[in-house]
Amino acid sequence: MQSRDAATLQEEIISALRKEGDLRKLPDDWLAQSVVFSKADAGALEQAVHAVYAKQVYSLEKDLTLTERDQHVLSELRRALQISPEDADEIRTKVGVNLFRRIFRESISDGCYTADENELLNRTRKYFMLRKSETNQAVKDLALSHYAFMLAEAAKDQQISDAEMANLSAFSKQFGLSKGKLRSLSVPDAESILRSALNDIKSKGVVDTNDYDHIRRLASILNADNLLKPCLQDLELFEQIFRLRSGELPKIKMETLVLQPGEHLHYFTPVSYESVSGKRKTSIAGDLYIGSMRIRFVSSRRSHEIRYANLLEVQANIPKTTKPQLQMSVSSGSGTGSYRLKRKDPALTIELVEAIRFLVRKARGFEKAPGRDSSYVPTEIRSEVWYRDNGKCVMCSAADYLEFDHIIPRSKGGATSVNNLQLLCRRCNSKKSDRI
C-alpha cells in the first residue's frame, strides 16, 4: 500500500508527463531538473516513479502483446524517469504476477476452472517469463479456496470418481498446494464416501490392485489417513470372501485331529459353545474345526459334529463391545447355538461364515461341474443368486431341498442369467411348474 506522499507524487508525475506530451523531447535528467520533484522524499519519489512505470506496462501489455511503438514508449519513459534496466525488469515481473493473480481470480469466480482459462494463465506466465514459484505464491490462498470448493463439489454425491480425483490432484500440483495446506481442509462425509467406494468395489465381486490404489488415493484426497488402515483391511476381507465364494478355501494340517480319507481341515479356532435347553444356559470351552465334510466342536466335557447337509443356517453376530459369535441352527442332532470366539476378530468371524456357507452349498449339490445337461447353471451365476436370495426359498423361506428355478422357463425362452433365476425349495418349485 503506497503512502499518501508517494500517491500524490505519482499523480503529479503523470500530470507533468501529459503536459510535456512527446516523451522523446524530454531530457535524460527531466525528473531531476523539476523543482517539485527534486524536493520530494527520495523513498516516496522512487515508489511513485515505479508505480507510474508499472501502470504504463500494465496498460500496454495486459493483452499479452507489445507493438514496436509501445516498446519505444516504454523505453522513453524509462529514460525520462531514470529507471535502471534491472528495476524495469523487476517492475515488469511484478506487473505480470499481479496480472496472473487477477486472471486466476476471474477464472475461478464462477466456480468453474476451464481448459481455456488454464491456457490463458500458462500464456501469461510464459509471456512475462514468470517462475512457477512466483505465480503459485501469488495465488496460493485463492488456489486453496478453489481446491476446497472442487473437493466439496466432487463429494456432494457421496462419491468421488477417479476422474474427479485426477482433476483435484492435477490442480493441486499445478498451483503448488502443499500437503500441509491440503491437510488443513476437512471433508465431513469422508467416512461415508470411503464406505460408498468400498461398497462399489464389493458389488463387483472381485478385488484387484487398482482397487487398493483407488482407496489409497481417495483417503489422501479426503485427508482421511486415519481411515485408510481399516479400509484396506476391509478390502483384504472382501478379497478373501470372494476367494471363499469361488471355493478357494485354505488347508491346514493338524496332526492331533483324525480326518476321514479325502477330508481337509480349513479352519481351527478356540471358542465357547453356548446353548440353551429350556431355561438352562450352558457354556463350554473347546475348539471349533471347520473341515471339508463336517464341523466339529471338541471339548473335554462334551463334543459334537455337524454335517453340512443338516446345517440350516449360520450367521455372524459381531457386537461392538464383546467378542463375536457364530450362530448356527441344525435340522437334527447337536450343534444349535452360539460359538463365541476367544479373540475379538470380526474379520475371521465373517470369513468363517462365508466358508461354512460355501461348504453347505457344496454339500447340497450346488457346486457340480458342468455336464451335458443344458439346464446347467454356471458356478458364478449360482453363487450370485444364492447370496442374493440368502440361501433360502424366495417363496416360503425354506433352507433345505433348494433348487435354481428359471423365473421365465427355458421352454418359454427364459435365459440362464442372474436376473432370471431364483431359489425355490423342491415343494414350491413343483407347484410353480412351467408357470411364469
Side-chain angles (χ1 to χ4, degrees):
M1 186 76 178
Q2 294 178 331
S3 66
R4 173 181 170 79
D5 289 342
T8 301
L9 286 169
Q10 177 184 340
E11 295 301 323
E12 290 176 353
I13 292 171
I14 292 173
S15 178
L17 288 172
R18 284 174 178 167
K19 288 180 181 179
E20 295 289 349
D22 192 348
L23 294 176
R24 291 173 297 179
K25 296 180 180 180
L26 295 179
D28 293 346
D29 57 352
W30 172 78
L31 193 65
Q33 288 180 3
S34 172
V35 176
V36 176
F37 300 136
S38 63
K39 295 181 180 180
D41 176 77
L45 181 60
E46 182 180 21
Q47 289 183 46
V49 166
H50 287 187
V52 170
Y53 184 72
K55 190 172 183 178
Q56 190 64 26
V57 170
Y58 177 81
S59 175
L60 297 178
E61 298 194 64
K62 65 179 183 298
D63 296 325
L64 309 184
T65 57
L66 187 66
T67 66
E68 186 174 350
R69 177 183 175 279
D70 291 340
Q71 289 179 10
H72 287 306
V73 169
L74 290 177
S75 177
E76 292 297 334
L77 185 60
R78 287 196 302 270
R79 181 184 62 79
L81 297 180
Q82 296 180 312
I83 298 175
S84 68
E86 294 78 13
D87 285 346
D89 287 343
E90 183 177 344
I91 292 169
R92 186 173 182 273
T93 295
K94 289 180 179 178
V95 170
V97 168
N98 288 334
L99 179 61
F100 186 95
R101 179 180 172 84
R102 179 180 68 78
I103 294 172
F104 181 80
R105 183 174 60 248
E106 291 174 356
S107 297
I108 64 173
S109 62
D110 60 353
C112 181
Y113 180 66
T114 66
D116 289 342
E117 290 166 338
N118 183 60
E119 174 61 23
L120 177 58
L121 285 173
N122 287 333
R123 282 174 45 217
T124 303
R125 182 188 285 121
K126 185 176 180 179
Y127 177 83
F128 284 96
M129 294 183 290
L130 304 175
R131 295 191 301 272
K132 201 168 184 178
S133 58
E134 293 174 325
T135 55
N136 288 349
Q137 179 66 23
V139 301
K140 63 178 182 179
D141 294 335
L142 290 172
L144 185 63
S145 296
H146 187 65
Y147 179 93
F149 173 79
M150 291 173 64
L151 181 57
E153 283 294 296
K156 68 181 181 181
D157 60 353
Q158 297 290 298
Q159 292 181 328
I160 299 182
S161 67
D162 283 331
E164 289 170 329
M165 283 196 288
N167 287 339
L168 286 164
S169 296
F171 185 87
S172 64
K173 184 177 180 180
Q174 179 179 358
F175 295 103
L177 298 178
S178 66
K179 291 184 178 180
K181 288 288 186 182
L182 296 179
R183 288 196 183 101
S184 67
L185 304 176
S186 62
V187 184
D189 298 326
E191 186 172 357
S192 297
I193 294 169
L194 282 166
R195 184 58 53 194
S196 177
L198 288 172
N199 288 336
D200 287 343
I201 294 171
K202 186 178 180 181
S203 67
K204 295 189 309 177
V206 64
V207 178
D208 55 35
T209 303
N210 291 334
D211 294 322
Y212 285 94
D213 292 340
H214 176 80
I215 292 299
R216 289 189 181 97
R217 290 198 307 273
L218 186 56
S220 177
I221 289 286
L222 295 172
N223 295 323
D225 292 341
N226 59 314
L227 300 175
L228 178 58
K229 184 177 179 180
C231 285
L232 294 179
Q233 289 174 338
D234 281 354
L235 275 186
E236 291 172 358
L237 179 59
F238 294 164
E239 193 171 8
Q240 177 62 8
I241 287 173
F242 298 145
R243 282 198 294 264
L244 293 173
R245 289 181 178 179
S246 65
E248 296 181 35
L249 275 66
K251 295 179 182 179
I252 60 177
K253 292 184 179 180
M254 187 165 290
E255 301 297 335
T256 57
L257 187 68
V258 179
L259 300 174
Q260 294 181 4
E263 185 178 13
H264 302 289
L265 180 62
H266 299 302
Y267 290 94
F268 156 76
T269 183
V271 297
S272 291
Y273 171 55
E274 301 171 356
S275 61
V276 179
S277 179
K279 295 183 179 180
R280 184 183 177 188
K281 296 182 180 180
T282 59
S283 178
I284 304 173
D287 298 316
L288 190 67
Y289 299 89
I290 311 297
S292 58
M293 297 181 180
R294 52 189 166 163
I295 299 172
R296 279 184 275 185
F297 173 73
V298 179
S299 168
S300 58
R301 291 173 55 189
R302 190 174 72 193
S303 302
H304 60 256
E305 68 176 43
I306 302 171
R307 294 285 177 174
Y308 292 113
N310 296 332
L311 185 57
L312 298 177
E313 188 176 33
V314 58
Q315 292 184 343
N317 179 18
I318 305 176
K320 290 184 178 180
T321 56
T322 58
K323 295 171 183 176
Q325 298 172 311
L326 291 175
Q327 295 180 328
M328 299 191 209
S329 177
V330 299
S331 59
S332 61
S334 301
T336 295
S338 299
Y339 299 79
R340 188 182 299 276
L341 276 63
K342 289 295 186 181
R343 56 193 175 111
K344 198 171 182 179
D345 192 340
L348 175 61
T349 309
I350 295 172
E351 190 175 329
L352 292 174
V353 168
E354 292 292 342
I356 293 171
R357 285 178 176 173
F358 173 83
L359 292 166
V360 169
R361 289 174 52 230
K362 184 178 179 181
R364 293 178 181 176
F366 291 119
E367 292 298 327
K368 295 177 181 178
R372 296 181 180 177
D373 185 358
S374 60
S375 64
Y376 170 72
V377 180
T379 301
E380 62 273 13
I381 294 179
R382 293 200 309 273
S383 179
E384 189 166 346
V385 173
W386 176 277
Y387 285 102
R388 183 199 65 198
D389 295 344
N390 201 27
K392 295 180 180 180
C393 174
V394 297
M395 296 181 68
C396 70
S397 298
D400 53 358
Y401 301 107
L402 296 176
E403 298 172 348
F404 287 99
D405 168 65
H406 287 75
I407 298 172
I408 299 176
R410 286 185 299 113
S411 62
K412 300 183 186 300
T416 301
S417 64
V418 172
N419 291 335
N420 192 48
L421 286 170
Q422 62 185 352
L423 281 180
L424 292 179
C425 67
R426 189 172 301 169
R427 182 179 178 182
C428 290
N429 202 7
S430 296
K431 288 181 180 180
K432 176 177 178 288
S433 186
D434 272 354
R435 295 193 305 274
I436 299 177

